[in-house]
Amino acid sequence: MSVQMADAQTRRQPDTTKLTCSQTQELVAKFGAINLKSGPYKFDRYVTNRNKCYANESVRTTYVPTLDTPRCSVQVCVERDRNRR
């Protein structure tokens, strides 16, 4: 994938560093699952609950930087084996 193509794909997602923590969490709640950027080359799919994950996945809390805090809690889907640490 070219840098330009990757750049175009990441531009489409809202960037958590330009939102407050509550705005970020509200976006996830509104859509149930949404791709968000959390830096120039970092993005992930954030979810409201386990129902938004594949059968072999569970949810794990992670943190993204936002305008008002460096650690805003959100959830991501992870493979079950990876979550057993």
Side-chain angles (χ1 to χ4, degrees), residues 5 8 12 15 22 28 30 34-35 54 66 71-72 75:
M5 186 182 294
R12 293 183 194 141
D15 189 339
S22 63
V28 176
K30 178 179 179 179
I34 186 171
N35 291 331
Y54 291 111
T66 60
R71 290 178 49 90
C72 178
Q75 293 183 319

Side-chain angles (χ1 to χ4, degrees), residues 6-17:
D7 227 22
Q9 288 179 344
T10 58
R11 253 187 251 131
R12 293 183 194 141
Q13 289 107 17
D15 189 339
T16 65
T17 64

Side-chain angles (χ1 to χ4, degrees), residues 36-78:
L36 297 173
K37 286 176 52 175
S38 56
Y41 303 105
K42 182 170 172 30
F43 58 94
D44 211 336
R45 182 173 174 267
Y46 301 99
V47 298
T48 53
N49 58 53
R50 162 76 182 81
N51 292 336
K52 302 297 181 183
C53 301
Y54 291 111
N56 65 333
E57 295 178 325
S58 58
V59 293
R60 175 178 56 88
T61 299
T62 190
Y63 301 91
V64 295
T66 60
L67 272 177
D68 57 345
T69 181
R71 290 178 49 90
C72 178
S73 67
V74 288
Q75 293 183 319
V76 292
C77 297
V78 294

Side-chain angles (χ1 to χ4, degrees), residues 13-25:
Q13 289 107 17
D15 189 339
T16 65
T17 64
K18 295 179 177 21
L19 303 169
T20 65
C21 184
S22 63
Q23 288 172 324
T24 299
Q25 292 169 336

